[in-house]
Amino acid sequence: AARCPRRPIASFHDYEAPHLGRSRPKGPARTADGIPLPPGWREHRSPARGIYFSHEATGLTQWDFPTGPPTKEQVDEAYREKHGERLAQLRPGGKGRLGG
């Protein structure tokens, strides 16, 4: 099986995935209609829900066309939605109790 090359990746757009049998195009990502996207954003098309956008580094998704990097508020809100309010309040060095 082919392995990923071990070299520094300058950006998400420079990433090559030989283990998947394909490479991402280099340069800015574009929508299916050819409109350039801000760095790190990708367009997705869902037959059930239409077009949405995701930011690769943060996992943020949104319906509106992105105009730049996500704000701290957007990233924090997406984290709370995904992991819940209590987990979002944890800070490095904080103590918590796991229950089951």
Side-chain angles (χ1 to χ4, degrees), residues 1-80:
R3 297 181 63 137
C4 285
R6 293 187 183 255
R7 63 178 173 81
I9 298 173
S11 75
F12 286 106
H13 301 293
D14 292 337
Y15 179 71
E16 293 183 7
H19 62 286
L20 299 177
R22 62 179 186 259
S23 296
R24 283 194 172 160
K26 293 189 180 203
R30 295 183 176 272
T31 67
D33 298 326
I35 301 168
L37 289 164
W41 287 96
R42 293 183 55 106
E43 177 187 61
H44 302 275
R45 293 179 179 246
S46 165
R49 296 190 174 187
I51 298 171
Y52 67 97
F53 303 91
S54 68
H55 188 257
E56 296 176 356
T58 62
L60 180 76
T61 59
Q62 65 185 40
W63 298 108
D64 297 324
F65 189 89
T67 57
T71 65
K72 181 179 181 335
E73 291 78 21
Q74 287 176 306
V75 173
D76 290 347
E77 180 182 343
Y79 189 86
R80 280 192 301 276

Side-chain angles (χ1 to χ4, degrees), residues 72 75-92:
K72 181 179 181 335
V75 173
D76 290 347
E77 180 182 343
Y79 189 86
R80 280 192 301 276
E81 286 176 9
K82 183 174 182 179
H83 299 290
E85 187 65 38
R86 293 187 70 187
L87 185 59
Q89 292 174 357
L90 289 177
R91 299 289 176 252

